[in-house]
Amino acid sequence: MDDFLAARSQMALSLGFHIIYACIGMVMPFFMAVAHYRWLKTGDAAYKNVAKAWSKGVAIFFATGAVSGTILSFELGLLWPKFMEHAGPIFGMPFSLEGTAFFIEAIALGFFLYGWDKFNPYFHWFTGVVVGISGLASGILVVAANSWMNSPAGFDYVNGQYTNIHPMKAMFNNAWFPEALHMTLAAFASTGFAVAGVHALMIVRKRNIHFHTQAFKIAAGFAAVAALLQPLAGDIAAKSVAKRQPAKLAAMEAYFHTQPYSPLVIGGIPDEKLKKVNYGLEIPGLLSFLVYDNFHEQVMGLDQIPEKDQPPVAVTHYAFQIMVGLGMFMMLIGVLYLVAVWFKKHWLESNWLMKLFIAAIPAGFIALEAGWVVTEVGRQPWIIQGVMRTKDAVTPMPGIAYSFYLFTAIYISLSVVVIFLLYRQIRMVPQLYDKKPEQLTLSHN
């Protein structure tokens, strides 16, 4: 493995693990706060127990997210020094603000974890809300930095020099809102389906029914709403990509030849040598409609982009298809769940609905990883779109392959520890939580 490939692989590995930890850490505090609020309003101690159980999960993922995020910060400087030398002064602001949000989140989490029966109940609940808001802000600020790489702004690039730097314009670049919206909904959908699926599994196994039912309802509600909103966010993001990164869009769709009534390809195996897609289903005009809101305007294909500026088509296309396919699967489950809540309440007691949520446990995270593959691989060969190539930003330091092997072992070990802690947490749910609802009701004094 050469050093360039090793550096890219190490960043991919680090981001692949961190994005899971970060998304769970962003979203779980909101679940926790909702459960806590319902306990305050209803007095049902099951909600308090859910909030307490989830807060332990939040603490686990806060710690692992902090560790993996710190590693990423060092990797940016060590593996991509040329990138940081030029880009750091421009998009450093969102990283600085992210650090502030992180400290607020850490303080608020400490208050929440150790504030039970010590603070005013509503102030204690508010600290949990602050954990969620600050965590979400951290994620959005990091996405702002990534969106700048896809849509660089806030500077003039003249004779190889970066001048007239405007950090605010760089942070709120034209790709920021579409990416932040899409990423936020993806975090809620993926985490919501995973958490709801775990509680659905416990319900099917008839363990601590009341506790897991209340937890399931909260997580499933967030998941269903996020899954239904995600296609709208995806449409906004895709239109942004079509405008600012036409090569990425063409690779996502494996769209080799520019033509009117541009077809949308569903599935298929791209043949990059023969410039065609085998076994795919083409729907004429649909790509034109999705990009330009009409069926006849032609979308730029790969044939209008120099080969040296084209991303890997097959990887980008497969990842995009996986993301969309799993997104549609989760949206279907979301529709069924909302129909059950509003019109078919007896479905909520059926095993088939619970088993759908169980099947969806990994779906959101696989879609999340696939989406980041689209974002990062689809931007290649650029590390800063149209400005700096990835190969020009890598460190000249030799021996990166050994670092990649070492960090692979670290991340796998960290994940094993996280899985063990979560498994133990689920197994340790006290049987007390399975008492009848009337036994779990607390009076407000």
Side-chain angles (χ1 to χ4, degrees), residues 4 8 11-12 15 80 146 149-150 245-249 251 302 305-313 315-316 372-386 388-393:
F4 178 52
R8 290 186 63 190
M11 284 300 296
L15 281 167
W80 312 101
N146 181 266
M149 296 165 68
N150 292 319
Q245 296 177 289
K248 178 186 286 187
L249 180 74
L302 289 164
I305 299 165
E307 285 200 15
K308 64 184 180 65
D309 295 334
Q310 294 181 12
V313 176
V315 173
T316 308
W372 273 97
V373 169
V374 172
T375 299
E376 297 303 302
V377 176
R379 190 180 60 246
Q380 300 307 312
W382 305 100
I383 193 169
I384 307 174
Q385 180 68 40
M388 177 182 287
R389 292 180 181 271
T390 307
K391 65 181 178 63
D392 296 328

Side-chain angles (χ1 to χ4, degrees), residues 121-434:
Y122 281 95
F123 174 77
H124 184 220
W125 165 78
F126 178 71
T127 63
V129 174
V130 172
V131 174
I133 293 173
S134 54
L136 185 61
S138 293
I140 290 174
L141 287 166
V142 171
V143 170
N146 181 266
S147 66
W148 179 85
M149 296 165 68
N150 292 319
S151 179
F155 66 97
D156 293 326
Y157 185 64
V158 181
N159 298 325
Q161 299 295 319
Y162 299 82
T163 60
N164 299 325
I165 294 173
H166 298 279
M168 292 300 292
K169 290 182 179 178
M171 184 165 67
F172 296 109
N173 58 80
N174 291 324
W176 169 78
F177 177 74
E179 281 198 30
L181 178 63
H182 193 52
M183 183 67 217
T184 300
L185 290 174
F188 274 95
S190 58
T191 304
F193 275 105
V195 173
V198 169
H199 290 291
L201 179 62
M202 296 298 105
I203 293 170
V204 169
R205 292 180 176 178
K206 301 187 183 305
R207 296 179 182 174
N208 309 312
I209 299 293
H210 184 60
F211 170 88
H212 289 294
T213 298
Q214 307 297 37
F216 170 80
K217 289 178 181 178
I218 295 172
F222 274 102
V225 172
L228 289 175
L229 292 176
Q230 189 63 291
L232 300 176
D235 180 66
I236 294 171
K239 283 181 167 63
S240 175
V241 168
K243 183 177 181 181
R244 308 181 197 292
Q245 296 177 289
K248 178 186 286 187
L249 180 74
M252 287 160 54
E253 301 292 347
Y255 177 55
F256 290 102
H257 305 289
T258 304
Q259 56 186 296
Y261 296 94
S262 303
L264 182 77
V265 178
I266 298 176
I269 301 175
D271 187 330
E272 296 185 55
K273 290 184 178 180
L274 298 179
K275 310 296 182 186
K276 67 176 185 177
V277 179
N278 298 313
Y279 313 112
L281 173 63
E282 286 194 1
I283 305 176
L286 188 53
L287 182 59
S288 296
F289 178 77
L290 292 174
V291 173
Y292 296 114
D293 296 323
N294 66 70
F295 289 97
H296 58 80
E297 190 165 349
Q298 64 183 21
V299 178
M300 182 186 295
L302 289 164
D303 57 347
Q304 294 192 10
I305 299 165
E307 285 200 15
K308 64 184 180 65
D309 295 334
Q310 294 181 12
V313 176
V315 173
T316 308
H317 178 70
Y318 293 144
F320 181 67
Q321 296 290 309
I322 290 170
M323 179 186 70
V324 172
L326 291 175
M328 297 300 291
F329 173 59
M330 290 184 288
M331 187 176 71
L332 173 62
I333 298 175
V335 169
L336 291 173
Y337 178 73
L338 293 178
V339 169
V341 170
W342 291 332
F343 306 109
K344 303 282 187 179
K345 293 191 181 297
H346 63 278
W347 287 5
L348 297 174
E349 300 176 1
S350 61
N351 274 357
W352 66 266
L353 184 61
M354 295 296 109
K355 288 179 179 178
L356 279 177
F357 275 94
I358 294 168
I361 289 175
F365 293 132
I366 295 172
L368 196 66
E369 297 285 9
W372 273 97
V373 169
V374 172
T375 299
E376 297 303 302
V377 176
R379 190 180 60 246
Q380 300 307 312
W382 305 100
I383 193 169
I384 307 174
Q385 180 68 40
V387 177
M388 177 182 287
R389 292 180 181 271
T390 307
K391 65 181 178 63
D392 296 328
V394 72
T395 178
M397 182 180 69
I400 301 299
Y402 300 107
S403 173
F404 167 63
Y405 300 141
L406 173 63
F407 277 91
T408 299
I410 290 172
Y411 276 111
I412 291 174
S413 301
L414 184 61
S415 295
V416 169
V417 170
V418 169
I419 291 170
F420 168 74
L421 291 174
L422 292 176
Y423 176 76
R424 189 179 69 170
Q425 178 62 26
I426 294 169
R427 294 279 296 180
M428 286 176 62
V429 173
Q431 296 301 314
L432 168 67
Y433 300 171
D434 199 30

